Amino acid sequence: AQKVTQAQTEISVVEKEDVTLDCVYETRDTTYYLFWYKQPPSGELVFLIRRNSFDEQNEISGRYSWNFQKSTSSFNFTITASQVVDSAVYFCALSGNDYKLSFGAGTTVTVRA
Amino acid sequence: DAGVIQSPRHEVTEMGQEVTLRCKPISGHNSLFWYRQTMMRGLELLIYFNNNVPIDDSGMPEDRFSAKMPNASFSTLKIQPSEPRDSAVYFCASSLVPQEETQYFGPGTRLLVL
């Protein structure tokens, strides 16, 4: 069975601060895929990134960066110089040998102006 | 390219009524998923179709729920009769290959059963 844990329920920061969202996963599959999705107040689920278990390279996309560490089963997400538009719920998710996408409980990020 | 399309975006109905939610997946995607999101249970998979065939419906709450995919570009999720505890946001998602590829989500249908 797969499990994704997002220990941080809510994070509140002031604009321009950096914020890091933690994600820890459990799986017995040797091949698996990790995802981050963003759910803004409007409610849609927006795909941000996908990583497979064989690619531990960190990735940067604009103000977003991801740190994948297989040794600690973590796939953390950092928003640099946060903006009000980053306010959303962020979900980490995992899929293994089957098709099922297991979601974490989500972390609500509030960026105050 | 158009993303996943869902309709209606909002639905308010009374207990006992039939509710039908609709989904058009991304063209060329052969896997389709229905999810439900509630505060209590988070995001949970209801049913998964591959090439229009239901593969796993173990997440469907009970017999009141049914889903169909008559062709590659259309799926429905029906609740009959609806109950207040069915109130939730229902998402449809599609992907190219279920295991490896990203699931892209529609905007969701916000259902309120009174």
Side-chain angles (χ1 to χ4, degrees), chain B residues 51-93:
Chain B
N51 293 322
N52 313 336
V53 176
I55 303 299
D56 184 352
D57 64 356
S58 60
M60 297 285 263
E62 49 199 273
D63 292 345
R64 297 184 297 105
F65 285 68
S66 62
K68 293 182 180 180
M69 192 165 185
N71 57 61
S73 58
F74 183 66
S75 176
T76 59
L77 178 68
K78 187 174 294 187
I79 309 173
Q80 166 63 16
S82 58
E83 296 182 3
R85 60 193 168 119
D86 302 330
S87 297
V89 180
Y90 291 82
F91 287 100
C92 176

Side-chain angles (χ1 to χ4, degrees), chain A residues 48-110:
Chain A
L48 295 177
I49 190 171
R50 182 189 73 173
R51 260 293 181 261
N52 73 53
S53 51
F54 298 108
D55 183 2
E56 287 195 69
Q57 272 192 324
N58 292 331
E59 181 154 339
I60 299 174
S61 175
R63 296 183 296 105
Y64 293 172
S65 62
W66 291 269
N67 181 7
F68 176 27
Q69 291 198 333
K70 214 168 176 179
S71 59
T72 56
S73 298
S74 65
F75 186 41
N76 296 337
F77 173 30
T78 297
I79 304 172
T80 302
S82 60
Q83 300 176 1
V84 172
V85 292
D86 296 326
S87 296
V89 182
Y90 291 86
F91 291 95
C92 182
L94 165 72
S95 69
N97 288 335
D98 63 15
Y99 49 84
K100 295 187 176 181
L101 198 56
S102 299
F103 284 88
T107 298
T108 300
V109 173
T110 302

Side-chain angles (χ1 to χ4, degrees), chain B residues 19-39:
Chain B
V19 175
T20 299
L21 312 181
R22 296 172 177 80
C23 174
K24 177 179 169 55
I26 293 171
S27 178
H29 283 190
N30 56 17
S31 297
L32 184 139
F33 308 81
W34 282 100
Y35 290 86
R36 178 170 68 175
Q37 184 179 32
T38 60
M39 289 294 292

Side-chain angles (χ1 to χ4, degrees), chain A residues 33 37 39 47 50 99-100, chain B residues 37 56 100-103:
Chain A
Y33 299 85
Y37 287 86
Q39 188 171 39
F47 164 71
R50 182 189 73 173
Y99 49 84
K100 295 187 176 181
Chain B
Q37 184 179 32
D56 184 352
E100 299 176 8
E101 295 292 332
T102 300
Q103 291 183 27

